[in-house]
Amino acid sequence: MKKYLLLVEDEKLWNKFKEIIEKDINTEILDLIKKKINLGAKK
């Protein structure tokens, strides 16, 4: 799997995201990507 770099310029948004995640950040981001892909496929 390729690595990626996530840049979040909005500090408040990033802190909110870090507070709500239950797993490690990489797993959460991959889950969000998978959800987005699945939602896009249904259209």
Side-chain angles (χ1 to χ4, degrees), residues 10-37:
D10 187 336
E11 221 29 65
K12 290 179 185 176
L13 182 62
W14 179 246
N15 286 329
K16 187 174 182 180
F17 177 72
K18 288 194 298 185
E19 288 173 7
I20 63 171
I21 61 174
E22 297 173 1
K23 304 170 221 163
D24 66 285
I25 290 175
N26 287 333
T27 303
E28 290 287 343
I29 292 170
L30 286 172
D31 287 347
L32 288 170
I33 292 169
K34 288 175 187 174
K35 283 182 190 176
K36 187 70 173 177
I37 290 170

